[in-house]
Amino acid sequence: YTVGYGVGTSFAAPHVAGLAALLVSKLGHGKSAQVRAAIESGADDRGKPGVDPYYGHGRINVARALGLP
């Protein structure tokens, strides 16, 4: 059941927060722009290619965002 935009964000928020915490431990504090860039550039593209209104930047990919093989 879906209504409007933002569906599923409360479930996604702890996953993104956990990834952000891992990135802060790797990159250091005060690097919010780099943390955000790593999350966005490491995401698996969903829907139409590129950023779109339904999927945004896509689904986070923890391994790629952290630079793991």
Side-chain angles (χ1 to χ4, degrees), residues 10-26 35 39 60-63 65-66:
S10 62
F11 186 73
H15 293 93
V16 177
L19 174 54
L22 290 170
L23 286 164
V24 167
S25 73
K26 179 180 179 180
V35 168
I39 292 170
I60 64 169
N61 183 317
V62 175
L66 291 170

Side-chain angles (χ1 to χ4, degrees), residues 31-67:
K31 311 250 182 186
S32 60
Q34 291 157 316
V35 168
R36 180 180 181 149
I39 292 170
E40 291 176 355
S41 67
D44 295 328
D45 195 21
R46 306 289 291 169
K48 294 180 182 179
V51 179
D52 61 73
Y54 187 76
Y55 291 104
H57 288 275
R59 179 180 54 209
I60 64 169
N61 183 317
V62 175
R64 190 177 306 133
L66 291 170

